[in-house]
Amino acid sequence: MKKRICILLMICSMICGAMGCGSKAPEEPKKDTEQAEEASAPEGKKTLTLAYIDGSGEEKAEDGWIWQMAMNTYEKWDKKDEVELELVPYIGTESDYFTKMALDLSDKSTAPDIFYEDSFRITVDSAAGYLAPLDEFLPKWDTWADGSMIEACKEAAAGMDGSIYGIPLATDSRGIWANKSILEQAGLSADWKPATWEELLEGCRQIKERCPDVIPLWYTCEENSEGTSMNTFEMVLYGTPDHLFDEETGKWNIRSQAMLDSLNFFKTTVKEGLTGSVSEITNTPNALNYAGEYMRSGKLAMVLTSTAVPNAFFQPGASFEWEGWDEELALIPMPTQKGDLGGSVTMSGGYTWSVSQSCEEKELAFEFITAMMDNKEEIVSYMLKCGQLPTVDVSEAANYQELSGRPFAEQSMELLENAQYRPHHEKYSEISTYLSQMANSVVCGAEPEEALETYSQAVISIVGEEGTQSLAE
């Protein structure tokens, strides 16, 4: 069967900052260069469209990670002769993808049947009526109930109403990647693990003093970016007792001392020259690409990001191919503010497969999703390429040893023991925009107190005074 692929090229270049799948991004924005062709399924066949963000680069559509997983599953699917599968990869930034999908999902004529959905979008998209609940189909899939899927990932796929709106595909953890040689040159041991924020900052100061040509610590702080919210700010904030949302009171925390302390952490890194140039760490979409090149060339000591990044950036054939990177780098847990609360913190997220409410063949779409999830060899191949972690047990896959032997696989999983998750609230997506703006403004020179107040007022405008609590009172 002819494999049809509908390619929609969005502006900008691809970088999965929230999930950590890196790719080389072109410097100039891209215009639509290829439009989806109108095509109907052969007579007597049903059609399923599957949309996703392609992290493998715009020149590799048919070699892309998800393309291979979907088509290799489709070729073996027992309903292949009854169904025509159309793939719709989007090339662009994560935020562009979210915007594009929201537009497509709002119109039945453009909504895909199946699509790749960031778990933090589940609550807002389900509340908007874009997603089909999958509860009635779940009992037909053994994997959901037999304990082979990570429970926290299943919970992340639930909407505010408790229904399940996605099948989790991948998850990840976050930490500090460090160049061991630079740590040793600075008088820190190769296995150095700071216990508090202050110990981390002191280590940065020591690196700056003894290795003046090296950037001590990198993080991305792009404006209006979920990557900034999750990979950067929340990785610091969630090392304190106060988080963004109080699950017990059901209110959003504002004017929090913990938030102010977190902002001051970033202010310190900029003020003391412990991080990269503001123009580069805030650059969309290249902030993480700069880190990849600087780390590879020995000009960067540490970067706070997803554990998926090195595998995606440095492996053979990747954007910043680096032979021996796994011997040169160490994975350091992000310390909590005072060394308490378990000693370290990681934010965890992930992508799911969701079904559009506009899909006319919802059960069929669910069956194809589970066929992909049950194709364990393809799941492993996908994880090997993008660097993420599987949500299901893949230990019986023929290629499992490749995954279990992947550099830092065990350490990445261990970080999940202290994992924190973004607020499971339909307003998080909107509030996150202001969260990233707050962090970005401080890095760009705003005073933390002013930035926090601006954020607090924005949250009030979204959920009302009654939906917030000021922890400064």
Side-chain angles (χ1 to χ4, degrees), residues 141-190:
W141 188 40
D142 292 340
T143 300
W144 190 260
D146 67 8
S148 61
M149 177 173 282
I150 298 173
E151 284 297 321
C153 294
K154 291 162 67 173
E155 294 171 10
M160 293 286 288
D161 60 0
S163 291
I164 298 299
Y165 290 93
I167 301 300
L169 168 63
T171 187
D172 63 354
S173 55
R174 284 154 184 76
I176 301 171
W177 290 99
N179 186 310
K180 292 187 291 186
S181 297
I182 295 176
L183 294 183
E184 292 177 323
Q185 290 172 29
L188 302 167
S189 65

Side-chain angles (χ1 to χ4, degrees), residues 75-93:
E75 291 298 334
K76 300 176 183 178
W77 195 27
D78 59 5
K79 295 191 176 180
K80 172 187 173 185
D81 293 338
E82 305 169 24
V83 181
E84 184 79 1
L85 181 66
E86 295 183 1
L87 302 185
V88 187
Y90 292 90
I91 309 298
T93 64

Side-chain angles (χ1 to χ4, degrees), residues 48-167:
L48 286 178
T49 55
L50 185 152
Y52 60 95
I53 185 168
D54 188 346
S56 56
E58 65 181 77
E59 302 302 325
K60 302 179 181 179
E62 296 194 11
D63 294 324
W65 308 326
I66 291 179
W67 193 95
Q68 291 184 344
M69 177 171 59
M71 292 309 303
N72 289 343
T73 298
Y74 176 69
E75 291 298 334
K76 300 176 183 178
W77 195 27
D78 59 5
K79 295 191 176 180
K80 172 187 173 185
D81 293 338
E82 305 169 24
V83 181
E84 184 79 1
L85 181 66
E86 295 183 1
L87 302 185
V88 187
Y90 292 90
I91 309 298
T93 64
E94 252 190 346
S95 58
D96 286 336
Y97 175 68
F98 298 150
T99 300
K100 177 65 175 173
M101 286 309 303
L103 290 172
D104 284 357
L105 291 168
S106 66
D107 187 335
K108 187 174 182 178
S109 67
T110 56
D113 297 310
I114 302 168
F115 64 101
Y116 195 59
E117 172 84 325
D118 193 312
S119 58
F120 93 94
R121 297 282 310 175
I122 291 280
T123 51
V124 64
D125 285 343
S126 60
Y130 296 156
L131 310 184
L134 304 178
D135 305 74
E136 65 176 301
F137 309 126
L138 290 172
K140 303 176 183 179
W141 188 40
D142 292 340
T143 300
W144 190 260
D146 67 8
S148 61
M149 177 173 282
I150 298 173
E151 284 297 321
C153 294
K154 291 162 67 173
E155 294 171 10
M160 293 286 288
D161 60 0
S163 291
I164 298 299
Y165 290 93
I167 301 300

Side-chain angles (χ1 to χ4, degrees), residues 372-429:
M372 286 193 291
M373 295 300 298
D374 288 338
N375 191 342
K376 300 302 174 60
E377 283 73 23
E378 288 299 328
I379 294 291
V380 169
S381 293
Y382 173 75
M383 301 304 159
L384 288 170
K385 291 167 185 171
C386 76
Q388 295 180 338
L389 305 171
T391 60
V392 295
D393 181 7
V394 293
S395 58
E396 295 184 2
N399 53 352
Y400 175 68
Q401 292 303 317
E402 294 181 62
L403 182 62
S404 63
R406 185 177 70 185
F408 301 101
E410 184 177 348
Q411 296 96 313
S412 297
M413 288 297 294
E414 288 175 352
L415 291 177
L416 292 175
E417 294 176 5
N418 291 321
Q420 298 287 341
Y421 297 86
R422 292 166 287 188
H424 200 62
H425 194 283
E426 63 183 294
K427 295 297 183 181
Y428 171 74
S429 178

Side-chain angles (χ1 to χ4, degrees), residues 14 51 66 78 135 147 157 174 225 231 236 244 254 271 273 285 289 313 343 355 365 433:
M14 165 63 199
I66 291 179
D78 59 5
D135 305 74
R174 284 154 184 76
S225 166
N231 298 345
V236 176
L244 292 173
I254 59 173
K271 184 178 180 180
N289 287 341
F313 269 36
V355 177
T433 298

Side-chain angles (χ1 to χ4, degrees), residues 202-220:
E202 279 300 321
C204 289
R205 294 179 183 115
Q206 192 165 321
I207 292 169
K208 180 183 179 182
E209 178 182 354
R210 301 192 184 186
C211 306
D213 295 328
V214 172
I215 300 168
L217 176 66
W218 194 278
Y219 50 80
T220 61

